[in-house]
Amino acid sequence: MRYRTLGRTGVQVSTLALGAMNFGAIGRTTQDDATAIVDAALDAGVNVIDTADWYSGGQSEELVGRAIAGRRDDVVLATKAYMPMSDEPNHRGSSRRWLTRALDDSLRRLGVDHVDLYQVHRWDPETSDEETLSALTDLQRAGKIRYLGSSTFPAYRIVQAQWTARERGLSRYVTEQPSYSALQRGIEAHVLPVAQEHGLGVLAWSPLASGWLSGAVRAGQPASTHRAGVLPERFDLDVPANRARLDAVEQLAKVAADAGLTLIQLALGFVTAHPGVTSALIGPRTPEHLRAQLAAADTVLSDDVLDAIDAIVPPGVDLAPEEKYDTPPALLDARLRRR
């Protein structure tokens, strides 16, 4: 396992980090499976575990908490808040009122007295950066969190938050967690350069493109990835974007084979090759999935292989732009574009 410094924090983190979104009802992963995955990951040198309050309604945090019991000091523990946790309108977002409550709930579910990285799961257009950062700064000073992070923020919001922290004397986000894969490269144009400019660590989620790059989606066979059963429309080959993805997958699989790699090794090696990326977040649902992904721990792609990937999916291009989660609200809500 290789290690890199998380932004400018001095904290050393593994280039593969364990994402726990599949723990619980979402991935039908039991406590026994979660514990086996966590134990195997830590034994292999993974030292980052990332979860969120929203994953399976808090169940992921509970499973992670039990799995790391007795090994807490070995883990850089990260969680997130923002997503709705009930129908109550104030049980979501990034207000001081909610983040204070959400963090206490996460600490209880995790069975710990602090988390190492607390991330705002999405940019909240209803809440000012000053409100959010002042609340997080106070929680940091109270010893409940060590570092602050953002997730899936548009590049201009990352810059705005950095400016607010500096101007108001508040703690700043030291990490960003964007979606990034060989099929979804849009963040190369703006988010990754901004993160590098501001010294942010980057924890890239969905490096296997929701299973498209796991080997479970190939031409001439039904998609066997779990995600295809949950979101079948994203794998429907009657959709032009999905046909384009499948074509790219077939070409990438050949590049991998010619290089003596699995498609998973190629996909994870691509993400960790970018100088702006600190770690790739893998999200295994079973111990078998984890073993296949850990095989990429030491994968370093040659320039020829990276050039071949560029020829298939050009830099900065998203093959499924409608699946991005950092689109500014003004592009989604017509009322924000009209008088």
Side-chain angles (χ1 to χ4, degrees):
M1 185 65 64
R2 294 169 293 151
Y3 297 87
R4 293 172 178 163
T5 304
L6 186 64
R8 295 172 180 164
T9 67
V11 177
Q12 300 301 300
V13 295
S14 49
T15 53
L16 295 183
L18 180 61
M21 189 182 76
N22 280 319
F23 288 9
I26 291 177
R28 301 196 300 272
T29 301
T30 66
Q31 181 67 66
D32 287 345
D33 282 340
T35 299
I37 290 170
V38 168
D39 285 346
L42 295 182
D43 290 345
V46 173
N47 71 346
V48 179
I49 299 179
D50 176 81
T51 182
D53 58 1
W54 183 66
Y55 297 160
S56 296
Q59 190 178 10
S60 172
E61 289 183 324
E62 292 173 349
L63 296 181
V64 167
R66 297 187 193 110
I68 66 171
R71 304 186 72 172
R72 171 65 182 92
D73 290 343
D74 300 333
V75 175
V76 177
L77 182 60
T79 192
K80 300 182 283 291
Y82 164 81
M83 298 297 195
M85 293 299 288
S86 77
D87 292 334
E88 162 59 43
N90 285 313
H91 288 183
R92 67 193 71 191
S94 59
S95 68
R96 173 181 290 272
R97 184 180 190 273
W98 176 240
L99 289 178
T100 302
R101 159 76 182 277
L103 177 58
D104 283 343
D105 289 345
S106 288
L107 295 177
R108 173 178 50 78
R109 286 189 291 262
L110 289 162
V112 299
D113 61 3
H114 74 279
V115 293
D116 298 295
L117 178 62
Y118 197 50
Q119 302 154 104
V120 179
H121 211 151
R122 296 287 187 271
W123 171 54
D124 181 1
E126 304 297 328
T127 308
S128 71
D129 289 316
E130 184 172 2
E131 165 83 2
T132 299
L133 290 171
S134 66
L136 293 174
T137 299
D138 288 346
L139 293 169
Q140 184 183 50
R141 289 171 178 166
K144 295 183 177 183
I145 59 180
R146 298 295 184 255
Y147 301 103
L148 289 53
S150 58
S151 176
T152 323
F153 274 33
Y156 77 100
R157 295 309 314 178
I158 296 173
V159 173
Q160 183 66 25
Q162 294 290 313
W163 181 88
T164 300
R166 184 185 64 197
E167 292 298 307
R168 300 290 186 263
L170 301 170
S171 296
R172 71 183 191 101
Y173 297 129
V174 300
T175 61
E176 162 60 15
Q177 188 178 131
S179 173
Y180 183 46
S181 73
L183 301 182
Q184 295 284 85
R185 302 184 59 173
I187 67 166
E188 293 173 345
H190 302 290
V191 170
L192 288 178
V194 163
Q196 289 176 280
E197 177 70 21
H198 290 277
L200 301 182
V202 171
L203 307 173
W205 60 270
S206 201
L208 299 182
S210 298
W212 279 92
L213 296 173
S214 69
V217 185
R218 298 298 303 273
Q221 65 185 43
S224 59
T225 177
H226 174 70
R227 193 67 60 89
V230 178
L231 297 168
E233 67 279 3
R234 294 193 179 182
F235 299 84
D236 181 356
L237 295 182
D238 289 332
V239 177
N242 292 338
R243 291 199 301 273
R245 278 193 282 193
L246 183 60
D247 180 61
V249 167
E250 292 301 314
Q251 294 181 66
L252 290 169
K254 184 178 186 308
V255 171
D258 290 346
L261 302 169
T262 66
L263 187 57
I264 288 175
Q265 288 175 310
L266 183 82
L268 294 177
F270 166 80
V271 169
T272 57
H274 195 290
V277 172
T278 311
S279 304
L281 280 161
I282 57 175
R285 195 168 54 85
T286 67
E288 292 73 25
H289 292 164
L290 176 67
R291 283 192 287 272
Q293 294 163 19
L294 286 176
D298 297 318
T299 298
V300 178
L301 303 185
S302 68
D303 288 345
D304 287 346
V305 170
L306 292 169
D307 289 343
I309 295 172
D310 285 350
I312 296 167
V313 182
V317 170
D318 289 315
L319 291 189
E322 71 281 359
E323 292 181 14
K324 292 181 67 62
Y325 297 93
D326 61 355
T327 303
L331 300 185
L332 299 174
D333 187 346
R335 295 173 301 173
L336 299 178
R337 303 192 300 272
R338 300 171 185 171
R339 290 182 184 270

